[in-house]
Amino acid sequence: MTEKFKRVHIIVLDSVGIGEATDAAKYNDEGCDTIGHTAAAMNGLAVPNLEKLGLANIRPEQPIQGVQIQEKPLAYYTKMHEISAGKDSMDGHWEMMGLPVRTPLHTFPNGFPDELIHKIEAFSGRKVIWNKPASGTEILKKLGERQMKTGELIVYTSGDSVLQIAAHEGIIPLDELYKICEYARELTIPEPYHLGRVIARPYVGDNADNFERTANRRDLTLVPPEKTVLNLLQDAGIDTLAIGKINDIFSGKGIKDGWHTVSNEDGMERFIALLDQDFHGLSFTNLVDFDAKYGHRREPVLFGKALESFDRQLGQALDKLKEDDLLVITADHGNDPGFRGTDHTREFVPLLVYSPSFAAGKALPVRETFADLGATIADNFNTEKPKVGASFLNDLK
């Protein structure tokens, strides 16, 4: 069979949910709406490129302030529901690639057991402080100066299945921090921990007023226990290119080339440059600033400005797409900056699917799982199909 598209490009707007999922109550997330609350805080979003693709058409019954419904949207549009047991980035991305996370990962709302903390202290030769849930920026204001003086490790968690270790780059060299995190990762893969991620959180600055987390963050995830669509593509000799934290999320498995990024803007610049390269396969981009800089910090106006900035760069990308390119814009979960708390929110995610070859866009059925995306990609490239997911390739005309 001939391929419909030579290249497929996925852009994940990390945490840009589009309204509470049907099971939001299970996560205590009733009323969450990342895109809606962000647009309201901005007194209207100015995202003309997302608008013409059909962003507002996804939920005509719930207006997105400033974004108009299109009579003739350029993209196929719908939303996707998550079936994974959690609402973490790993869950969302793995499910997109045909591997839903069925068993809930463990969370530690009261901090990690002493046994684990003592092992980290013994390995590193450094004392652990805090060991409770915290906002990453607030914990630096509280303990960053102390960490600089003592060389201790700031260990904290969140509502997600994650252990984060913060340390000043000038006090604990990056290589040392990474080795400590790698050790913690080994300890927390099996039960009783079964933890989704260990994250190295280096920061710089000289006092609590100017501490800033750097782009040298490293996410150490679990290795996917089965093949994902990325593996199926790679096995078939098809290119798999990753921008942003995609490489970390999949522990490098099934990825031919990957590039870390320092910001959303950097990620989009790399993606736009990639469009000038001749490759055959999938590019997979994650733009994490929405989540890490604005969602968890509950900054809806800054979140909105980041969406507007993305939209401007999206315009450059759209101009470079060829007839045999397919662009998919989606998200991995919600993180409503206008909601209570500081954690991810259980939401539908948008799905905009565009190619210059389309005569016009139209509605697709709501997807019951993110895995429909991976199934569609496997279908396009005529590879082995994932166990989960239904392709919508034949609906794209």
Side-chain angles (χ1 to χ4, degrees):
M1 292 175 60
T2 57
E3 298 171 357
K4 187 173 281 192
F5 303 102
K6 178 183 176 183
R7 305 189 300 183
V8 178
H9 314 284
I10 303 173
I11 299 177
V12 178
L13 307 180
D14 197 307
S15 87
V16 183
I18 196 159
E20 67 174 75
T22 57
D23 58 356
K26 179 180 173 183
Y27 297 84
N28 195 30
D29 285 340
E30 303 105 312
C32 62
D33 182 5
T34 296
I35 197 88
H37 290 154
T38 297
M42 293 286 288
N43 294 314
L45 274 175
V47 286
N49 291 300
L50 287 170
E51 180 176 87
K52 69 184 183 183
L53 290 175
L55 178 63
N57 295 61
I58 295 173
R59 44 178 262 183
E61 74 289 350
Q62 278 184 287
I64 301 169
Q65 194 170 334
V67 187
Q68 302 304 311
I69 293 171
Q70 303 294 293
E71 278 191 30
K72 295 182 179 178
L74 298 180
Y76 287 79
Y77 58 88
T78 187
K79 56 188 179 182
M80 302 196 293
H81 197 289
E82 188 168 9
I83 60 172
S84 289
K87 51 180 179 174
D88 187 84
S89 289
M90 190 191 84
D91 304 326
H93 285 80
W94 283 19
E95 184 172 327
M96 281 181 221
M97 292 296 106
L99 189 63
V101 179
R102 304 286 195 177
T103 304
L105 300 167
H106 297 323
T107 57
F108 293 85
N110 300 312
F112 299 98
D114 290 343
E115 180 186 17
L116 176 63
I117 296 301
H118 292 158
K119 286 180 179 178
I120 293 172
E121 289 178 332
F123 175 83
S124 65
R126 297 178 181 275
K127 188 178 186 314
V128 164
I129 53 176
W130 193 249
N131 186 28
K132 285 182 279 192
S135 156
T137 50
E138 291 303 314
I139 202 63
L140 293 187
K141 290 179 182 176
K142 184 179 182 73
L143 293 176
E145 291 182 3
R146 170 175 167 174
Q147 193 276 325
M148 289 181 69
K149 292 174 184 173
T150 64
E152 296 164 323
L153 301 170
I154 303 172
V155 170
Y156 64 104
T157 185
S158 72
D160 297 324
S161 181
V162 63
L163 184 155
Q164 307 191 66
I165 304 180
H168 194 286
E169 288 190 4
I171 304 301
I172 300 180
L174 288 173
D175 285 349
E176 181 182 348
L177 178 60
Y178 294 160
K179 285 176 183 173
I180 295 168
C181 288
E182 286 164 6
Y183 175 72
R185 171 71 285 183
E186 291 172 12
L187 294 178
T188 54
I189 290 172
E191 295 288 354
Y193 304 110
H194 192 49
L195 198 66
R197 285 184 293 167
V198 173
I199 306 179
R201 286 289 199 175
Y203 67 97
V204 294
D206 54 24
N207 65 70
D209 294 328
N210 64 20
F211 287 141
E212 185 174 354
R213 298 189 293 185
T214 75
N216 293 317
R217 160 185 174 158
R218 286 292 178 271
D219 290 55
L220 304 174
T221 63
L222 297 170
V223 174
E226 299 177 38
K227 285 188 175 183
T228 70
V229 170
L230 293 172
N231 299 111
L232 302 179
L233 295 175
Q234 194 171 58
D235 290 348
I238 293 164
D239 293 331
T240 50
L241 310 177
I243 297 173
K245 69 177 187 179
I246 299 295
N247 195 64
D248 288 346
I249 289 171
F250 290 92
S251 295
K253 304 301 180 183
I255 293 170
K256 178 182 177 182
D257 287 309
W259 301 273
H260 279 102
T261 56
V262 299
S263 64
N264 282 358
E265 290 76 12
D266 182 36
M268 282 301 291
E269 285 171 6
R270 287 176 182 269
F271 171 62
I272 291 164
L274 196 63
L275 291 175
D276 290 328
Q277 297 182 23
D278 184 23
F279 69 91
H280 170 224
L282 175 70
S283 78
F284 201 172
T285 299
N286 175 283
L287 304 177
V288 75
D289 287 358
F290 303 111
D291 184 65
K293 290 188 176 179
Y294 314 122
H296 286 298
R297 299 181 192 179
R298 297 305 193 245
E299 294 274 11
V301 172
L302 294 177
F303 197 115
K305 288 180 178 178
L307 274 170
E308 292 179 346
S309 177
F310 160 74
D311 193 82
R312 288 190 287 273
Q313 288 183 289
L314 174 61
Q316 299 173 45
L318 292 175
D319 290 341
K320 285 179 174 282
L321 293 175
K322 300 175 182 176
E323 292 285 306
D324 56 0
D325 280 322
L326 183 71
L327 174 65
V328 179
I329 299 173
T330 189
D332 51 346
H333 51 72
N335 197 351
D336 183 351
F339 202 57
R340 58 180 174 268
T342 60
D343 294 330
H344 294 158
T345 43
R346 184 73 164 189
E347 299 186 47
F348 282 100
V349 298
L351 184 67
L352 295 169
V353 185
Y354 170 72
S355 173
S357 64
F358 293 161
K362 57 191 282 190
L364 291 170
V366 173
R367 315 318 297 188
E368 295 179 4
T369 167
F370 296 3
D372 288 1
L373 177 52
T376 302
I377 292 164
D379 193 9
N380 179 74
F381 291 111
N382 302 307
T383 68
E384 181 185 339
K385 303 301 184 286
K387 296 175 185 176
V388 181
S391 171
F392 51 81
L393 185 69
N394 290 336
D395 294 331
L396 307 177
K397 297 169 183 174

